[in-house]
Amino acid sequence: MYAIDQQNDHRTQQRARLYRDTYPAFARWAKGYGAIQHRDETQVRVFDLCQQLLCTGRFKQIDEVLDVLHAADRMASAAMWLVVHMTYSNKVDFSGSALEASAFKTNPQGHTGGSLNMVPAYVGYMVANTLAGKTRSWLMGQGHCVAAIDAVNVLLQNLYPEQAERYPLNEEGLTQLVRDFYSYAIADDGRLGVPLGSHVNPHTAGGLIEGGYLGFAELQYVHMPLPGEHLVAFLSDGAFEEQRGSDWASRWWRAEDCGLVTPVMIANGRRIDQRSIMYQQGGLEWFFQHLQLNGFYPIAIDGRDPSAFIWGIFESEARLQACSAQVQAGHMSYPVKLPYLIAETIKGYGFYGEGTNAAHGAPLPENPKYDLSSRDLFNEFVAGLFVSEKKLRQASSQLNTHDKDARLPEKDHPLCRRNISLSPIPAFQWVTVGAEYSPMEAIDRHFIALVHANPQLRVRVGNPDELRSNRMGHTLDKLKHRVLKQEDGVAESIQGSVITALNEEAVVSAALGNKGGMNLVVSYEAFAVKMLGAIRQEIIFARHQKELGRAPQWLSVPVIATSHLWENGKNEQSHQDSLFGEALMGEMSDVARVVYPADANSGIACLNACYRTQGQIWALTVPKQQVKTIFSKQQAQLLVSQGAITLGKSNNAEVQLVAVGAYQLDLCIQIQQELSGNGISSFVTYLMEPGRFRKPRDRSEQAFVSSVSAKEALFPSNIALRVFVAHLRPETLLGVCRPLDLGPQRCIAFGYTNQGGTLDTNGLFKANGCELETVAVAAIRKLVLLKKSEL
């Protein structure tokens, strides 16, 4: 069935009536509670689930299960009541009395409609855990619906310490919650003043991603749980149109290395201004066909009823487990048709304005603080959702069975408590100084050595094509493309660990989702820019966790940008762009590590350093062509620890040549020789991690950047002239490394000036005004002017 309000078939009606007539407790539950109503189809499904639970021995009587389902109804109704208060009011009243004008906010804010839709879903997830006696993980792609999560968590007291202290389950605690929501409070130190946000954030108990960048949860969920783990992923029909690749999930899922996943589409049919594309295309009937064509098994449920979600989670997992058993017995082959719950609902169901565009935000006609008719509407609708304090506490007690079941609270579900580290990193044959060697090939060989040394970790390699062309042939031969049917003569496998699709967002999401394992992403530099939204969302969330003293402990993820600007001359200027690293240098440098290894040994050292850290994203811009190996093992390791290193420093030098990038380092060495021929003494410093030398923007970055003494040793302030030759745009570099800029009279910078085309490396240097002659002449002229000014 594709519409929740169409008549149930006659047989379903008969069965539901029979169960109500036969079991008084079932009939009482079937009446629902307030806005929570149980349709005949859900009643039949829930009765079947009750029988299954009785067969497991966990419950002895159907009444015990129904008591829990009664509690779910009350909890969902109370949470919807609280969500509406979070948008509009600055107090709650446990007596259920109508609120006066003074009880309302001056500026009501919230994503009310979507949050109301999420309440039955999240309550259903919680109660499914209660009934199963196990804690599943959860993920929500529509992060703006966080009010639903916070409301349910507060009512169940499933909270992190800072929220538990501030929001106890009483009238004062809930009043504080609604006052904090969209209070825009700020502390004296410039940080958020309350442990609450407009989207999922590290204060949100059990939250995994912010969900502000819509569509990435859809790309990540299938890669998240490990075998033995269970994940319920809440998705939205609005986000469905955001990112390509969500319909490939069944291509990637394997019982051998994936846990059980239950995707749940909250299908309310609307975005902010209009119907979603899905509904414009033909609604849920069209979506059913789309899912079936893409390897899913769609299951329609009533998105207004928590019991429908409970049944759906059990049904989805049972189907997927059965399919897994059939595959392992040799009776089925991949792809398994992944069960996919479609929870059809009405945007903003349960409150005034449901089903309208206004339901998205603040659905009342006017602000109830100032408008009597809107105030009356508020009080009328919340009265239908009200649950007395006694019944609420009883429901909370019935659902909180964690101690009895010896299971984790949902705030500590397995996916939000990853702690991954590598076994001792194996010895590796460092490249001989002076040898011509591809840095990407060195990284390739070392990565495979790390994989061999850590067989306990699930590996995901994100590859938007051309992995072998990017000199990662050993990785491809060892780990292989994950496919459904192998092609002869190609490095492919049903169980491959290389997630390949010509879609940067989808493949980086495979790595970002695999926080229980070890990851690597490789892309063309110019096209890695498409990954920035997914990466930035991870960086922000990890940084905020760190600020709260709960730094994430998943293994840091290296994202390699190669076939880069200065070696992509065979293609047009679309393939020549340094924006990837530049954009990430705008993020906080202690979490977003942007590095430019210049040779094979510095590439190896960076990869080692990345995998020795947790909760960071490392953006490595690496040459794939053979370049001269400049740094020894010791120098490469020192380069990583310091962020820069000086080659052959002279105390009497007048010019410091600062290189960022492999080809720029070679150029600076040539410039040094040119200057020497003109009687000018200079030395070369390689700057690999510019973010280490920026002006810190907060305390965490202060602890990360280079110390004053270390910076002075590497970049002496008394040098007559400093010349930067950079892989990236010079303006960006000077902005990031402002403390190294000696001013326009004593500092000049060269780099990418947005010129390019079908040119080789030397041609690109010339087009961008940073070839040997131009830089050397500019340095000499600047030095002459400096000397004249001193006379």
Side-chain angles (χ1 to χ4, degrees):
M1 294 191 303
Y2 305 117
I4 55 178
D5 283 324
Q6 63 187 178
Q7 290 293 319
N8 291 312
D9 63 80
H10 183 63
R11 183 180 176 188
T12 299
Q13 292 175 343
Q14 284 185 318
R15 288 182 65 190
R17 186 180 305 114
L18 173 64
Y19 299 150
R20 292 194 299 268
D21 292 343
T22 307
Y23 298 92
F26 190 84
R28 288 193 297 273
W29 165 79
K31 292 179 180 178
Y33 191 99
I36 308 302
Q37 300 296 310
H38 308 300
R39 274 66 184 174
D40 287 345
E41 184 177 44
T42 302
Q43 291 180 32
V44 170
R45 288 171 164 178
V46 165
F47 184 85
D48 291 343
L49 175 61
C50 289
Q51 304 309 308
Q52 295 169 25
L53 290 170
L54 292 176
C55 289
T56 66
R58 178 166 172 75
F59 298 92
K60 295 181 180 178
Q61 297 180 354
I62 191 173
D63 292 27
E64 297 176 37
V65 182
L66 293 169
D67 283 344
V68 175
L69 297 179
H70 267 303
D73 291 348
R74 295 194 294 274
M75 185 58 60
S77 190
M80 293 168 73
W81 174 85
L82 185 53
V83 162
V84 177
H85 279 72
M86 290 170 74
T87 296
Y88 281 107
S89 75
N90 56 33
K91 67 169 288 187
V92 300
D93 188 335
F94 264 0
S95 73
S97 300
L99 297 183
E100 299 296 331
S102 61
F104 290 93
K105 297 178 179 180
T106 303
N107 180 25
Q109 293 288 336
H111 297 90
T112 311
S115 297
L116 286 169
N117 294 153
M118 265 303 302
V119 166
Y122 189 59
V123 169
Y125 153 80
M126 285 284 198
V127 179
N129 293 346
T130 300
L131 292 174
K134 64 185 175 188
T135 299
R136 300 168 176 87
S137 293
W138 67 273
L139 169 73
M140 184 173 71
Q142 53 273 47
H144 58 278
C145 298
V146 70
I149 308 300
D150 284 324
V152 175
N153 281 345
V154 169
L155 296 178
L156 288 172
Q157 288 295 285
N158 173 55
L159 303 169
Y160 290 145
E162 66 275 11
Q163 285 194 336
E165 180 181 359
R166 193 170 178 89
Y167 310 129
L169 185 55
N170 54 40
E171 195 170 280
E172 292 74 20
L174 298 192
T175 293
Q176 188 65 65
L177 174 74
V178 301
R179 287 179 178 173
D180 285 351
F181 190 62
Y182 272 101
S183 66
Y184 304 109
I186 187 167
D188 291 340
D189 63 358
R191 298 177 186 272
L192 296 180
V194 296
L196 207 63
S198 63
H199 288 65
V200 173
N201 59 83
H203 294 295
T204 309
L208 291 174
I209 64 172
E210 180 190 304
Y213 285 86
L214 293 177
F216 288 118
E218 285 81 347
L219 302 183
Q220 292 186 25
Y221 74 83
V222 73
H223 303 287
M224 286 183 164
L226 295 167
E229 296 175 341
H230 302 242
L231 172 65
V232 178
F234 300 110
L235 315 172
S236 76
D237 54 352
F240 169 76
E241 57 196 74
E242 183 78 27
Q243 300 294 342
R244 178 84 171 96
S246 62
D247 47 3
W248 297 333
S250 63
R251 294 181 57 84
W252 312 133
W253 191 86
R254 302 289 186 271
E256 291 79 0
D257 71 351
C258 298
L260 296 181
V261 292
T262 300
V264 184
M265 170 71 75
I266 309 299
N268 62 28
R270 306 204 74 84
R271 287 188 263 108
I272 297 175
D273 290 335
Q274 62 171 164
R275 292 171 300 153
S276 63
I277 291 293
M278 180 191 300
Y279 277 73
Q280 295 181 47
Q281 287 281 109
L284 294 193
E285 185 170 1
W286 173 87
F287 189 49
F288 259 70
Q289 295 170 357
H290 172 83
L291 290 174
Q292 290 170 332
L293 287 171
N294 285 280
F296 293 94
Y297 183 86
I299 303 170
I301 63 172
D302 183 351
R304 302 171 293 190
D305 184 350
S307 292
F309 287 95
I310 295 166
W311 173 84
I313 291 168
F314 277 94
E315 178 71 10
S316 173
E317 291 182 345
R319 285 183 175 275
L320 192 51
Q321 285 175 320
C323 290
S324 299
Q326 291 296 304
V327 169
Q328 291 170 349
H331 302 314
M332 282 180 64
S333 59
Y334 291 111
V336 165
K337 284 191 171 294
L338 287 182
Y340 194 114
L341 302 184
I342 306 173
E344 188 179 5
T345 186
I346 301 165
K347 190 151 192 176
Y349 174 75
F351 190 64
Y352 176 83
E354 61 183 37
T356 66
N357 285 339
H360 176 80
L364 291 173
E366 302 291 341
N367 186 345
K369 186 175 184 68
Y370 308 112
D371 182 72
L372 176 60
S373 111
S374 293
R375 189 158 63 247
D376 288 344
L377 285 170
F378 175 92
N379 286 319
E380 174 191 345
F381 277 87
V382 298
L385 299 170
F386 177 72
V387 179
S388 70
E389 182 178 4
K390 180 180 178 181
K391 289 183 177 180
L392 176 59
R393 290 188 180 278
Q394 182 183 20
S396 181
S397 176
Q398 287 176 281
L399 301 181
N400 276 316
T401 61
H402 305 84
D403 291 342
K404 173 187 171 184
D405 295 328
R407 66 183 178 92
L408 293 170
E410 280 74 11
K411 66 179 179 179
D412 296 321
H413 66 77
L415 266 65
C416 69
R417 286 292 178 264
R418 297 299 197 202
N419 189 348
I420 308 298
S421 59
L422 293 188
S423 298
I425 292 176
F428 185 75
Q429 187 65 46
W430 296 78
V431 178
T432 303
V433 172
E436 296 283 334
Y437 205 94
S438 163
M440 282 302 298
E441 187 175 340
I443 286 174
D444 176 37
R445 291 179 179 274
H446 192 55
F447 177 68
I448 284 301
L450 294 171
V451 170
H452 277 299
N454 293 272
Q456 78 282 5
L457 295 180
R458 179 176 65 183
V459 177
R460 287 290 181 268
V461 176
N463 169 44
D465 205 8
E466 298 207 49
L467 195 63
R468 197 178 299 281
S469 167
N470 286 326
R471 306 295 193 269
M472 296 290 290
H474 291 86
T475 295
L476 185 56
D477 291 337
K478 167 67 177 176
L479 300 179
K480 296 181 171 53
H481 299 290
R482 176 163 292 205
V483 296
L484 297 174
K485 186 177 180 180
Q486 295 170 228
E487 180 182 0
D488 291 341
V490 180
E492 295 179 342
S493 170
I494 302 293
Q495 302 296 335
S497 297
V498 179
I499 305 300
T500 302
L502 200 54
N503 181 289
E504 284 77 8
E505 296 92 335
V507 301
V508 75
S509 292
L512 298 175
N514 182 38
K515 291 184 172 64
M518 178 182 179
N519 303 285
L520 180 77
V521 183
V522 181
S523 174
Y524 271 38
E525 181 187 27
F527 305 136
V529 173
K530 292 182 65 183
M531 302 178 182
L532 284 174
I535 292 172
R536 184 170 185 265
Q537 182 166 244
E538 294 291 341
I539 290 168
I540 292 170
F541 204 85
R543 188 44 148 66
H544 289 170
Q545 287 178 301
K546 180 180 177 181
E547 290 172 357
L548 293 177
R550 294 194 289 266
Q553 294 180 299
W554 38 267
L555 199 63
S556 293
V557 179
V559 181
I560 298 177
T562 188
S563 291
H564 65 54
L565 161 59
W566 301 100
E567 59 182 12
N568 216 323
K570 73 174 185 177
N571 291 301
E572 258 298 341
Q573 196 173 355
S574 61
H575 290 57
Q576 298 158 3
D577 189 5
S578 55
L579 180 59
F580 179 66
E582 294 173 23
L584 289 177
M585 278 194 280
E587 304 303 323
M588 305 310 287
S589 294
D590 56 312
V591 175
R593 305 290 301 274
V594 181
V595 294
Y596 295 86
D599 67 356
N601 287 338
S602 54
I604 294 167
C606 283
L607 194 67
N608 279 346
C610 172
Y611 287 134
R612 285 194 175 99
T613 63
Q614 294 174 311
Q616 299 177 359
I617 302 293
W618 284 59
L620 295 81
T621 300
V622 185
K624 74 175 184 181
Q625 304 298 343
Q626 290 190 349
V627 296
K628 185 177 181 180
T629 304
I630 301 294
F631 304 113
S632 67
K633 168 187 172 181
Q634 292 75 20
Q635 287 176 314
Q637 292 172 334
L638 183 63
L639 179 57
V640 170
S641 69
Q642 295 184 155
I645 193 170
T646 293
L647 302 174
K649 184 176 179 181
S650 169
N651 292 329
N652 299 318
E654 298 176 276
V655 178
Q656 182 180 25
L657 300 166
V658 182
V660 181
Y663 296 100
Q664 288 70 24
L665 177 56
D666 179 67
L667 182 61
C668 281
I669 291 172
Q670 296 179 49
I671 295 168
Q672 181 186 30
Q673 296 170 353
E674 182 72 16
L675 294 179
S676 178
N678 283 272
I680 299 172
S681 176
S682 65
F683 64 92
V684 176
T685 298
Y686 189 68
L687 173 56
M688 186 171 72
E689 189 171 6
R692 299 288 285 274
F693 301 94
R694 74 187 318 146
K695 180 180 179 181
R697 294 164 286 181
D698 66 7
R699 289 172 295 180
S700 293
E701 207 168 55
Q702 174 73 62
F704 169 77
V705 299
S706 180
S707 67
V708 173
S709 59
K711 182 177 67 178
E712 180 64 24
L714 287 163
F715 299 96
S717 56
N718 61 355
I719 194 76
L721 178 66
R722 181 166 295 145
V723 180
F724 289 94
V725 184
H727 173 98
L728 59 155
R729 293 173 176 87
E731 300 88 350
T732 303
L733 180 65
L734 289 179
V736 171
C737 297
R738 187 68 182 86
L740 305 185
D741 185 355
L742 299 174
Q745 303 306 316
R746 299 172 53 208
C747 183
I748 50 178
F750 301 87
Y752 182 50
T753 59
N754 290 354
Q755 305 302 311
T758 309
L759 299 166
D760 61 14
T761 301
N762 289 331
L764 285 167
F765 276 149
K766 185 173 181 62
N768 287 279
C770 54
E771 77 275 25
L772 170 61
E773 181 180 358
T774 299
V775 178
V777 168
I780 292 170
R781 287 177 177 173
K782 181 69 73 172
L783 204 57
V784 169
L785 289 173
L786 282 171
K787 290 180 178 180
K788 284 183 178 180
S789 67
E790 293 172 358
L791 296 177

